Amino acid sequence: DTAVSQTPKYLVTQMGNDKSIKCEQNLGHDTMYWYKQDSKKFLKIMFSYNNKELIINETVPNRFSPKSPDKAHLNLHINSLELGDSAVYFCASSQESRGVQETQYFGPGTRLLVL
Amino acid sequence: GDSVTQMEGPVTLSEEAFLTINCTYTATGYPSLFWYVQYPGEGLQLLLKATKADDKGSNKGFEATYRKETTSFHLEKGSVQVSDSAVYFCALVNTGFQKLVFGTGTRLLVSP
């Protein structure tokens, strides 16, 4: 069983469209994340949710809106897609423990190409 | 803010050569340190980690020691294989924050 799964794996779309990426984890973790990897392989956090509550929002444009229906799911909705949104988006999850930095487990990534 | 600096790649080695990928960090407090690996076309996999000073993380023949005095977490392997070709990311998570801060990644190319 895949621990952290994402759909779709590939997403090709036109500029201006709205799209969603879904993430699910079956590890029982209570914290989930979205990271963006640009064309130079640089990885940066976008959002983090703990028990469905937003705890990290790293100056991401308002066009990006995460939604967590339950603690096993964290979806990413993107409005009015722009060329610069082309990247690989990774979902991750971890178990929060006070003062302990638990390992984050990553999904396989969603490769988004905006034309 | 917190940051991680890795050596520029690509690192090109012949099979069975010794590998070192340098990683240094800047952080307040006592972060945990990680190495993640990304094989071509795949997601990130945890390779090893260390949570406090002088800890050594190890996995699949790779090792890294958390050196607080030099703020470093260099990755080493005694004998690389072609299958080790990938991009390696050094990262940290600081106390009280759950976000991973990544280095820029180092591509390793191993030839037969």
Side-chain angles (χ1 to χ4, degrees), chain A residues 33 35 37 40-43 45 56 58 90 94 100-104 106-108 111, chain B residues 32 34 36 38 41-44 46 49 89 93-96 98-100 102 104 107:
Chain A
Y33 313 79
Y35 288 85
Q37 185 176 43
K40 296 184 179 178
K41 297 287 190 182
F42 185 67
L43 275 154
I45 192 164
I56 294 175
E58 286 284 302
F90 286 102
S94 69
V100 177
Q101 290 71 46
E102 297 290 345
T103 299
Q104 293 184 22
F106 283 77
R111 284 148 184 81
Chain B
S32 292
F34 303 82
Y36 280 85
Q38 186 176 28
E42 296 186 12
L44 289 157
L46 177 69
K49 69 176 185 181
F89 292 91
V93 170
N94 210 340
T95 306
Q98 286 298 321
K99 64 176 183 178
L100 275 164
F102 285 93
T104 51
R107 182 178 299 277

Side-chain angles (χ1 to χ4, degrees), chain B residues 9-75:
Chain B
V11 173
T12 304
L13 295 172
S14 297
E15 206 164 24
E16 299 183 3
F18 184 85
L19 168 71
T20 300
I21 300 178
N22 290 338
C23 170
T24 57
Y25 68 90
T26 302
T28 56
Y30 302 94
S32 292
L33 303 175
F34 303 82
W35 278 100
Y36 280 85
V37 58
Q38 186 176 28
Y39 297 101
E42 296 186 12
L44 289 157
Q45 300 176 26
L46 177 69
L47 183 59
L48 53 85
K49 69 176 185 181
T51 58
K52 60 184 187 297
D54 299 325
D55 268 3
K56 177 187 281 188
S58 61
N59 185 25
K60 299 181 182 179
F62 291 90
E63 293 183 341
T65 301
Y66 189 145
R67 301 283 189 205
K68 188 166 173 58
E69 64 277 12
T70 55
T71 63
S72 65
F73 193 54
H74 304 321
L75 182 68

Side-chain angles (χ1 to χ4, degrees), chain A residues 11 13 36-39 63-64 78 81-89 110-115:
Chain A
L11 185 53
T13 188
K36 180 180 180 180
Q37 185 176 43
D38 64 22
S39 58
R63 299 182 296 103
F64 290 80
I78 315 170
L81 278 156
E82 300 178 356
L83 294 177
D85 297 333
S86 296
V88 182
Y89 293 85
T110 295
R111 284 148 184 81
L112 171 65
L113 177 60
V114 182
L115 304 175

Side-chain angles (χ1 to χ4, degrees), chain A residues 29-96:
Chain A
H29 291 163
D30 54 16
T31 306
M32 296 184 72
Y33 313 79
W34 279 109
Y35 288 85
K36 180 180 180 180
Q37 185 176 43
D38 64 22
S39 58
K40 296 184 179 178
K41 297 287 190 182
F42 185 67
L43 275 154
K44 188 172 181 186
I45 192 164
M46 300 172 70
F47 301 103
S48 170
Y49 269 72
N50 177 264
N51 279 318
K52 302 194 298 176
E53 180 182 347
L54 179 67
I55 56 174
I56 294 175
N57 182 342
E58 286 284 302
T59 60
V60 177
N62 290 339
R63 299 182 296 103
F64 290 80
S65 53
K67 287 185 173 52
S68 182
D70 55 61
K71 73 174 193 178
H73 295 84
L74 181 62
N75 303 323
L76 183 64
H77 188 76
I78 315 170
N79 289 327
S80 303
L81 278 156
E82 300 178 356
L83 294 177
D85 297 333
S86 296
V88 182
Y89 293 85
F90 286 102
C91 178
S93 73
S94 69
Q95 183 62 38
E96 182 191 1

